[in-house]
Amino acid sequence: MQHTITVLVENKPGVLARVSGLFARRGFNIESLAVSITDDPTISRMSIVVSGDDSILDQINKQTDKLIDVIKVIDYVDTPIVERELAMIKVNAENMQRAEIMQIVDIFHAKIIDISETTFTIEVTGNTDKVDAIERLLAPFGIKEMVRTGMIAMARGSITAVG
């Protein structure tokens, strides 16, 4: 089962290494990881996506919560969430292909953020399925480069990670 976990941590050097090291020592592969500072400059927010057995992941969450620099661990397993990922995809765009690529971009509510004589760079946000789908449709044109942020998530409604 896939888990999306939010970890609020002190905004200090080495904290990311300690948290990710705990996951590595327990044999969990982090599928995506996004870290950024919050509205409070002393706190960073980690959004971690991992797959694993519920009981073992529960232990990981508890051990992560015990790390000195960790403020709070939230596993969104039973919480309705809003989740998004950002991807930038640089694709070949020869003159005869440009209209077709622009139609795909429009259907996915994506944006062309850079144009060269032979390429488009496309920005798309959405859940993993949406990003995967546009990637599949652009692949036949020749993807030259792609970068994805990893999933970020928040609980729906008035629930916050801070509490």
Side-chain angles (χ1 to χ4, degrees):
M1 178 174 192
Q2 193 173 63
H3 291 255
T4 303
I5 301 165
T6 291
V7 182
L8 298 178
V9 298
E10 298 289 332
N11 184 21
K12 294 194 259 183
V15 174
L16 173 60
R18 284 190 283 283
V19 172
S20 63
L22 176 74
F23 280 77
R25 285 191 302 278
R26 300 295 177 214
F28 279 94
N29 183 40
I30 294 174
E31 294 181 10
S32 80
L33 171 67
V35 183
S36 68
I37 197 165
T38 65
D39 55 316
D40 179 344
T42 66
I43 299 173
S44 290
R45 180 182 182 127
M46 299 174 149
S47 298
I48 304 170
V49 177
V50 294
S51 291
D53 176 76
D54 287 348
S55 63
I56 294 172
L57 207 54
D58 186 51
Q59 290 178 347
I60 292 288
N61 290 340
K62 288 176 181 169
Q63 291 174 1
T64 302
D65 202 28
K66 291 179 183 175
L67 293 174
I68 290 172
D69 299 315
V70 171
I71 298 166
K72 190 172 186 180
V73 177
I74 303 114
D75 186 349
Y76 290 118
V77 69
D78 292 324
T79 305
I81 59 173
V82 178
E83 56 185 9
R84 292 290 182 268
E85 182 175 0
L86 167 70
M88 292 191 299
I89 305 168
K90 185 177 294 183
V91 62
N92 290 322
E94 300 298 329
N95 284 340
M96 294 180 56
Q97 303 169 321
R98 289 182 177 237
E100 190 175 353
I101 293 169
M102 291 170 76
Q103 283 182 321
I104 293 169
V105 167
D106 191 45
I107 289 167
F108 282 88
H109 303 288
K111 293 185 219 170
I112 296 171
I113 58 172
D114 186 58
I115 298 172
S116 76
E117 293 174 6
T118 59
T119 63
F120 283 162
T121 301
I122 297 159
E123 171 191 295
V124 60
T125 58
N127 62 27
T128 301
D129 291 342
K130 178 180 177 181
V131 176
D132 289 345
I134 194 169
E135 179 187 349
R136 271 193 312 276
L137 290 174
L138 293 173
F141 299 100
I143 294 175
K144 296 182 70 71
E145 187 175 15
M146 186 172 90
V147 61
R148 294 171 75 150
T149 61
M151 191 62 65
I152 57 172
M154 295 179 116
R156 290 188 173 271
S158 61
I159 300 168
T160 65
V162 178

